[in-house]
Amino acid sequence: RRIVSMHDFHGTPADLPAIHARLASCGADVVKLATMATSTHDNTRMLRLLSTSTLPTVGLCMGELGLPTRILAPKFGGLFSFAALDRGPPLAPGQISFRTMLDLYRFDQITPSTPLYGVIGDPIGHSLSPLIHNRALIELGLPGVYVPFRVPPDDLRQFLIDCRELLVKGLSVTIPHKEAICAAMTDIDPAVTAIGAGNTLVFHGERLYGYNTDQRAAIDGLSVAMGWSTDRLPDLNDKTVLVLGAGGAAKAIVHGLRACGAAVVVTNRNRGRAEPIAEPLGATVVDWDARHTVSTDVIVNCTPLGMHPQVDETPYEAAYLRRDMIVCDTVYNPEYTRLLREASAVGCTIATGIEMFVRQAAVQFQLFTGHHAPQSVMRAAIAETLHS
């Protein structure tokens, strides 16, 4: 049988249906289109082509932006997809390994009725959310696939429109979209309103429900590190907490800490972003250069400093760490950031980002599927990956 193909390594042409028809007219038994994704919307256009074609078709977008098309081909009627060898470099931009396609994404089990979930962010390649959510689905024997979507800020509005066509059921939301996503929600959980940021979207027909699972996850993660019960909020009236950063996660954590009675000091390299977080909640703000002058009991890093691949960075100099401090990091890749390694060397009590990450993801999983997440499986999957 004859495959007639066209590759475009520079972009995804606007006239995909016309190109498909031209290739089909060349005596094709199968049409194959491989283009470079330059926007998130290119994925939707390619998957739409698969779903509407009456001739067997292979269609994919290359590059990191195009990864979802490689995984979701069978959901939208694609004849087959391409994967890289399990060893050695990929043969085309954006390929993932054969073993990952089968073992993590269960490519061979994806059908048009498979529920679709995902995580959006920019960048997204470092995210372990696909790992733990897919492992949880596998552990519970549930249908579904959870896919990473790299969504640049300028693509967010169009992507949320495309989610209706792609029949997305739920999304985790990470940097830089946690604040901007709130404008798209039709039904908003009180925590989102109070914090001004969301990290979870659930689609129900035309309704878009928004949640924030970061707040309680952060407090519970701190409680686990200290050996406290997570059945109720801890009493932090005698604690001063320095929060580094002013993004969506910082907003959630400041809100949670203030609810526990802590005195909170927020600092950020851009002071103008810290003030709107701190002042409505009764927290104070200091300049980034003055962060080491704060007499604090607890430090919580909510910046990306120390995150893979910039693992040698730290938001707080080791010389100012004290043995009696509690140091928490929301970065989970790597688990032991430079900040935590240096804090541990001084004798501080530390809390890694994994506990918070798993706990917030477990709540998301239940919102998506209606099933309690297997948290032990999620933790084991992260440990296996980070320590391998």
Side-chain angles (χ1 to χ4, degrees):
R1 302 178 69 192
R2 179 181 297 153
I3 299 175
V4 180
S5 66
M6 188 279 289
H7 292 70
D8 188 330
F9 288 92
H10 301 287
T12 299
D15 55 343
L16 286 180
I19 294 173
H20 185 280
R22 176 169 59 83
L23 298 179
S25 70
C26 298
D29 297 297
V30 175
V31 168
K32 176 192 169 189
L33 280 166
T35 66
M36 182 64 69
T38 58
S39 75
T40 309
H41 185 56
D42 288 342
N43 295 324
T44 304
R45 296 196 297 117
M46 184 62 75
L47 294 172
R48 181 189 302 147
L49 182 74
L50 292 181
S51 66
T52 57
S53 175
T54 57
L55 187 70
T57 299
V58 178
L60 58 91
C61 291
M62 295 178 284
E64 184 186 15
L65 281 169
L67 175 61
T69 61
R70 296 183 180 276
I71 299 168
L72 297 176
K75 181 171 176 63
F76 294 91
L79 184 60
F80 56 81
S81 187
F82 287 81
L85 297 172
D86 291 330
R87 295 183 179 180
L91 300 179
Q95 279 186 357
I96 55 178
S97 75
F98 176 79
R99 190 51 51 199
T100 299
M101 289 278 275
L102 286 186
D103 292 351
L104 183 62
Y105 293 108
R106 297 187 289 178
F107 180 86
D108 56 331
Q109 299 178 39
I110 296 175
T111 70
S113 62
T114 297
L116 174 57
Y117 313 100
V119 56
I120 63 171
D122 185 27
I124 202 63
H126 69 281
S127 176
L128 296 181
S129 291
L131 171 69
I132 63 173
H133 280 274
N134 282 313
R135 287 284 180 87
L137 289 167
I138 293 168
E139 175 69 16
L140 298 183
L142 298 175
V145 61
Y146 183 105
V147 176
F149 293 96
R150 182 184 160 209
V151 181
D154 290 346
D155 288 359
L156 180 60
R157 182 176 178 275
Q158 181 61 55
F159 175 77
L160 292 175
I161 295 172
D162 290 347
C163 282
R164 307 291 184 182
E165 182 175 349
L166 299 178
L167 302 178
V168 174
K169 293 188 174 297
L171 289 173
S172 307
V173 181
T174 188
I175 297 172
H177 301 308
K178 289 187 176 185
E179 295 156 305
I181 204 72
C182 297
M185 299 172 182
T186 60
D187 298 79
I188 304 177
D189 184 76
V192 174
T193 302
I195 297 165
N199 73 334
T200 309
L201 297 177
V202 179
F203 294 79
H204 284 296
E206 294 303 312
R207 314 297 295 178
L208 183 54
Y209 292 79
Y211 303 90
N212 191 308
T213 68
D214 282 334
Q215 175 186 335
R216 187 58 190 261
I219 300 302
D220 285 352
L222 176 61
S223 296
V224 168
M226 296 304 299
W228 300 331
S229 170
T230 57
D231 294 336
R232 57 183 175 82
L233 292 176
D235 181 357
L236 300 178
N237 280 287
D238 61 341
K239 302 292 184 185
T240 298
V241 183
L242 176 63
V243 175
L244 307 169
K251 282 187 175 183
I253 289 170
V254 171
H255 188 272
L257 290 168
R258 290 294 294 141
C260 297
V264 179
V265 181
V266 182
T267 185
N268 190 58
R269 283 169 291 187
N270 180 346
R271 183 186 174 109
R273 293 199 64 195
E275 290 170 348
I277 294 175
E279 292 172 357
L281 297 173
T284 58
V285 177
V286 299
D287 291 336
W288 181 256
D289 291 341
R291 65 193 184 280
H292 297 114
T293 67
V294 177
S295 179
T296 185
D297 304 296
V298 183
I299 296 173
V300 182
N301 176 41
C302 298
T303 77
L305 293 173
M307 180 187 294
H308 179 82
Q310 279 79 41
V311 296
D312 292 327
E313 296 183 352
T314 180
Y316 197 86
E317 296 302 323
Y320 297 94
L321 293 168
R322 303 189 318 272
R323 181 182 181 84
D324 59 344
M325 283 180 173
I326 304 166
V327 181
C328 311
D329 206 327
T330 60
V331 172
Y332 62 84
N333 184 12
E335 179 179 6
Y336 294 98
T337 59
R338 177 182 167 187
L339 172 64
L340 293 184
R341 294 195 308 271
E342 292 177 342
S344 181
V346 171
C348 302
T349 298
I350 65 170
T352 74
I354 285 184
E355 191 64 33
M356 175 181 170
F357 178 58
V358 168
R359 287 179 177 275
Q360 61 83 26
V363 178
Q364 291 180 335
F365 186 87
Q366 185 167 0
L367 290 169
F368 294 158
T369 68
H371 293 265
H372 291 289
Q375 292 191 35
S376 60
V377 170
M378 295 168 124
R379 288 189 189 91
I382 294 176
E384 174 188 334
T385 298
L386 294 183
H387 300 151
S388 61

